Amino acid sequence: MDGLSQPWPWYVAGPLIGLFVPLLLILGRRRFGISSSLRHLCAALGSRAPFFRYDWRAERWNLAFVLGIFLGGFGAGVLLPNSAPLELNPSVVASLQRLGLFPDGGLWPRELFALEALKNPKVFLFLLLGGMLIGFGARWAAGCTSGHSITGLSALQWPSLLATLGFFGGGLLSAHLLLPWFLSGLR
């Protein structure tokens, strides 16, 4: 059980994720991706919008996959928790503190993600807007980071290379310019 309650090194976890893509392609004739799951779920729930009118049953495997992710996350977080506090580089801690975020060893900053923080309308709006932009961006790019960066790059798709470069560029821009600006507005 110790092997399951401790983080795996990148050289083990990375190739395992990478091997899942060809396995899914060869055995299931499916492309790995997550962002379409919400569309499939909306279609399964009977949405009447034209975007959701298609045979979602052909994509049931994707809904089962997402359910497996939730169950795996629950199992890892609740049944096999890692009690060791999250260790961050001191320079990262200093950078976060300059932004008004004070890491306490948990996986996320409580200033943004604790239930108390959600009572602040600015924080709630900030998270809602961020989630909407991520969802819109994933649909606009015809896939999310997992779809483009794992599946698309492994299939040598140049649009996925462009999308991946855009994800990383957008992440750097957000982390260094937008996040400090937004966080200063939350205080």
Side-chain angles (χ1 to χ4, degrees):
M1 291 305 256
D2 283 345
L4 293 176
S5 64
Q6 302 296 320
W8 291 2
W10 65 267
Y11 51 84
V12 174
L16 284 176
I17 292 172
L19 288 173
F20 182 75
V21 174
L23 192 66
L24 190 62
L25 277 171
I26 293 169
L27 296 180
R29 299 190 182 280
R30 307 285 184 198
R31 292 185 309 166
F32 177 77
I34 302 296
S35 61
S36 298
S37 303
L38 183 58
R39 181 180 184 215
H40 303 324
L41 183 62
C42 290
L45 292 175
S47 174
R48 296 175 190 255
F51 183 69
F52 300 114
R53 289 188 193 158
Y54 63 96
D55 183 18
W56 63 269
R57 287 174 184 83
E59 305 297 333
R60 283 183 295 202
W61 72 271
N62 193 267
L63 294 174
F65 179 71
V66 170
L67 178 64
I69 290 173
F70 278 110
L71 293 176
F74 177 80
V78 175
L79 302 177
L80 302 167
N82 183 348
S83 60
L86 180 67
E87 294 179 22
L88 294 175
N89 184 302
S91 66
V92 172
V93 172
S95 294
L96 290 172
Q97 288 175 342
R98 281 193 297 275
L99 295 172
L101 303 174
F102 299 92
D104 61 358
L107 295 177
W108 53 78
R110 295 191 182 281
E111 294 84 358
L112 289 177
F113 297 107
L115 289 177
E116 294 286 324
L118 291 177
K119 292 178 183 174
N120 180 343
K122 289 181 179 177
V123 171
F124 183 80
L125 188 62
F126 174 74
L127 295 175
L128 180 67
L129 180 64
M132 289 175 62
L133 287 174
I134 289 173
F136 177 77
R139 284 293 77 206
W140 196 34
C144 62
T145 51
S146 62
H148 279 296
S149 302
I150 297 174
T151 302
L153 288 181
S154 68
L156 303 176
Q157 298 291 318
W158 72 266
S160 292
L161 176 62
L162 293 177
T164 300
L165 291 173
F167 295 143
F168 280 98
L172 289 171
L173 178 74
S174 296
H176 293 286
L177 297 177
L178 295 178
L179 185 63
W181 183 69
F182 278 119
L183 289 176
S184 67
L186 295 178
R187 290 185 215 138

